[in-house]
Amino acid sequence: MRKIFFTACGLLLFFGAKAQVRVGFENNSQWYIDDKKIKIDENEAEDRFRTNSYLKVDYDWKNWSFGVQVEGYEPKALLNYSPDYKGFDIGTLYARYNNRELGLDVTAGHFYDQFGSGLLFRSWEDRQLGINNAVLGLNVKYTLLDYIDVTVLGGKQRVGMGFDLSNSFLIGGDVNVDISGMMENYEIDWSAGFSYLGRMENSRQYNTDLDKLTSGYSGRMNFGKGGFYMGVEYVYKDKDALVDLFRVKPDVQQKGNALLINGGYAKKGLGFDVNLRRMENMSFYSERNLAGNDYFKGTLNYIPGLTKQYDYSLQNIYVYQAQPTFDLERQGKLGEIGGQFDFYYEFAKGTTLGGEYGTNVVVNGSYWANLENEQKADKSGTKADFFGFGEKSYSDLGIEVRKKWSKNWSSIFMYLNQYYNPGILEERPGIGKYKVNIASFETTYQFLDNKSVRLEAQHLWTKEDKKNWVGGTLEFAYNANWAVFVNDIYNYGNDIKDERIHYYNAGISYTKGTTRISTSYGRQRGGLLCVGGVCRYVTEAAGLTVGITTSF
């Protein structure tokens, strides 16, 4: 492994004399402590200082690019990251040839890619969530006649450090057709796409004769004219075995499919967008027995929760996470059905509601339910009506008003109502439903050209679960380089007095060009951490955090 690394570095340095070099470095370190309220798990207490480090080097030389990412998790990875991340090793390694004149783009080594919306296939990296689902193999892209883009790929998925790979082999292809370009009609934006992904996995390890090849197919169409746009994508996945608590059950098999529809209208000062999705058994992993693991290990597709991504901490206590899983054994779950909408309007400057600087209003909402289903008589799976709404799992409705009072002063007001069903979303049957209200306020004032103060206040009230919370943030930016902050959320309404905890944090950051150094001390609330609609569970912790990012 290390010979490969040093050989690659030597090749990069050889080409580097006439190359453009890009270097990026990121380090996140935490020192965990126990205080009066929060203690980390005894099994994790031995290593209280932990770091995640990433060094990425890319060389561009004519039509060629070469790159390597080295990762270090010493003495262990940060809490809540996969235990497969340990030590120091190569994370990803690649060589790429990209000739735009020929329309040819070839990558050998680790690569990331996505078909359509990602419902069938997406490989990507998100360090905050601990995701790196790169594929090690070959990815070839070719443009035909200026309006047809073809992708063919094959390889094994990364499931740990860089060369820890899945036991399966992936093959896939994607075709995108620019219909407007083909028809030479540029008054409309019209395109279509078709995708295939196959997972070849030896089923003998499960002591069964399951099909070696599991295939998925997708088709999509996008259309836009003027301010109107609409897109439709349908995905179908071959019948595959149920996995319950990481045990493959070949006697229970189910097909998968998904329908995604989005559309809307946008012009200056006005916008409306709708997303609708129905999913049935759309979990897809590079190995069957990885289904449902806590670290996104082996995930082949991208299924975010389709709700608004909220900015404030109390709005993210009861968050919706997508429900693609087939779970006949415990919940009788088959998938989800629902959607979300966003409406945006700007009251023009000089009007009664717009004032001198205008006023922006956003209304958003979502509704999600279990996909209603019925168990087959032979207990080999379930069946469902295509538009069968089952038990409600989540809904929200929010309104946000953004107002600029002067050149230096602006504010944001927001109200959010949520309905949260822990019986479905957390697999806690018998727990009552939560009805939640949240009010948030933020104001920012800039003065002396480069200084600013930001104040944020929040309140959550509910009669269920841990009941009422209050929170706030005060941030001061001394100039373009230095900033300090302090924030706190407090569960003052908890019926258990010992669990009325202040989750406070205070920190300072320095930014210069592409370099940022930050440090903070405080507590982390346990629960779901979500980035881009994808969520993972994190435990409570307290301690010191230091982060460094730079690139050149």
Side-chain angles (χ1 to χ4, degrees), residues 350-410:
T351 62
T352 302
L353 294 178
E356 184 177 357
Y357 295 93
T359 303
N360 297 325
V361 177
V362 178
V363 179
N364 65 276
S366 68
Y367 181 96
W368 293 97
N370 253 358
L371 189 62
E372 188 174 31
N373 62 88
E374 179 182 352
Q375 187 172 340
K376 295 179 180 178
D378 60 2
K379 298 184 179 180
S380 63
T382 67
K383 55 184 178 179
D385 292 334
F386 197 84
F387 293 109
F389 280 77
E391 184 180 359
K392 179 181 176 181
S393 57
Y394 179 88
S395 68
D396 62 17
L397 181 63
I399 181 168
E400 178 181 282
V401 179
R402 293 177 177 261
K403 178 65 180 174
K404 188 173 182 180
W405 308 102
S406 68
K407 292 182 179 180
N408 301 322
W409 182 25
S410 61

Side-chain angles (χ1 to χ4, degrees), residues 30 57 69 133 169 197 203 226 274 352 444 513 519 522 535 543 546 550:
Q30 290 188 324
V57 181
Q69 178 168 295
N133 292 334
F169 189 86
L197 182 70
S203 63
V274 176
T352 302
T444 302
T519 183
C535 305
V546 177
T550 188

Side-chain angles (χ1 to χ4, degrees), residues 230-251:
M230 184 174 182
V232 179
E233 181 174 10
Y234 180 77
V235 181
Y236 176 85
K237 181 168 71 78
D238 282 349
K239 185 180 292 187
D240 202 7
L242 169 68
V243 180
D244 180 47
L245 298 177
F246 310 112
R247 295 192 303 272
V248 177
K249 298 192 172 184
D251 294 337

Side-chain angles (χ1 to χ4, degrees), residues 259-275:
L259 175 66
L260 176 66
I261 302 173
N262 65 80
Y265 175 78
K267 69 174 186 178
K268 185 177 180 181
L270 174 67
F272 183 75
D273 183 79
V274 176
N275 292 273

Side-chain angles (χ1 to χ4, degrees), residues 493-506:
N494 199 315
D495 291 335
I496 304 174
K497 290 186 178 181
D498 288 343
E499 295 183 5
R500 296 177 184 175
I501 300 176
H502 283 276
Y503 294 98
Y504 57 82
N505 272 280

Side-chain angles (χ1 to χ4, degrees), residues 44 56 129 145 177 187 235 251 277 306 324 380 485 523:
E44 305 287 357
K56 193 172 190 301
L129 289 174
L145 306 174
V177 181
E187 294 182 359
V235 181
D251 294 337
R277 185 171 68 191
L306 288 186
S380 63
F485 77 91
R523 293 169 171 170

Side-chain angles (χ1 to χ4, degrees), residues 69-116:
Q69 178 168 295
V70 181
E71 301 175 13
Y73 305 90
E74 290 285 359
K76 283 186 177 181
L78 301 180
L79 286 181
N80 305 302
Y81 282 75
S82 172
D84 294 325
Y85 293 160
K86 53 189 175 182
F88 166 89
D89 214 329
I90 299 173
T92 57
L93 180 69
Y94 77 90
R96 179 184 180 190
Y97 176 78
N98 184 12
N99 190 319
R100 294 183 179 179
E101 293 181 0
L102 296 177
L104 180 65
D105 186 348
V106 181
T107 301
H110 289 94
F111 61 85
Y112 305 99
D113 210 332
Q114 176 172 322
F115 295 165

